[in-house]
Amino acid sequence: MTYLQAEGGYQHDQKQVIYLVVQPRKIPQLKQLIKAIDERAFVTVLDTHEVVGEGFSYQRKRYHVNWQHGKE
């Protein structure tokens, strides 16, 4: 979990953004938790293919395409 300080684009007020990565199966539970804390929270859910770094690793199966340019 990472906290970011932000400025609202419309009213230019200060906001706190919470950025986190969760497993896809945890998204419904997380959305319920957020709604219970703040019904007006702005939430985006993005599809992530790979996460690496300290404290977390999650890899989704990817399809591989083999491109062979200039070889006959």
Side-chain angles (χ1 to χ4, degrees), residues 25-37:
R25 64 185 171 88
K26 296 286 189 177
I27 292 172
Q29 181 181 358
L30 179 60
K31 287 168 54 176
Q32 286 180 343
L33 177 62
I34 292 168
K35 187 174 182 177
I37 294 170

Side-chain angles (χ1 to χ4, degrees), residues 10-52:
Y10 181 69
Q11 294 182 347
H12 301 286
D13 52 343
Q14 295 300 305
K15 306 277 186 186
Q16 185 175 49
V17 177
I18 302 172
Y19 181 86
L20 59 121
V21 177
V22 298
Q23 295 175 351
R25 64 185 171 88
K26 296 286 189 177
I27 292 172
Q29 181 181 358
L30 179 60
K31 287 168 54 176
Q32 286 180 343
L33 177 62
I34 292 168
K35 187 174 182 177
I37 294 170
D38 183 356
E39 288 189 7
R40 297 181 60 208
F42 185 86
V43 177
T44 58
V45 178
L46 304 172
D47 189 21
T48 302
H49 296 282
E50 183 176 357
V51 177
V52 294

